[in-house]
Amino acid sequence: MVQPNSQNRMSGRQINPEQYARLKAEVAAPYRGMRKFIYIAGGASGFIGAFIFLFQVLAGRNLDAALPNLALQVGIVTLMVFLWRWENRR
């Protein structure tokens, strides 16, 4: 393991403590930022879909297709919220 005060062999400079902490966090939880972005994007997509299908249900248009799609979108939003909370608990 690299110590925070050790010199970088290639450039001859030291890694500052902030960089060391960031690298250590990335090793502990790789791709965490990307996963959170996917949770936000998936949740936003599900929310927009739920919004559209909710208004189709309220308008009474094509209920046979709108109700299952609304349930699916609500499930997607619920899953993304669950995954976001699970990610933050770690």
Side-chain angles (χ1 to χ4, degrees), residues 3-36:
Q3 297 299 322
N5 293 336
S6 68
Q7 290 187 351
N8 187 345
R9 292 180 189 172
M10 300 191 81
S11 65
R13 26 178 226 143
Q14 290 184 342
I15 296 176
N16 67 26
E18 182 181 310
Q19 287 176 330
Y20 181 72
R22 192 171 53 217
L23 288 171
K24 200 171 172 184
E26 183 66 25
V27 167
Y31 304 112
R32 186 176 194 184
M34 185 174 67
R35 285 193 308 262
K36 284 189 166 189

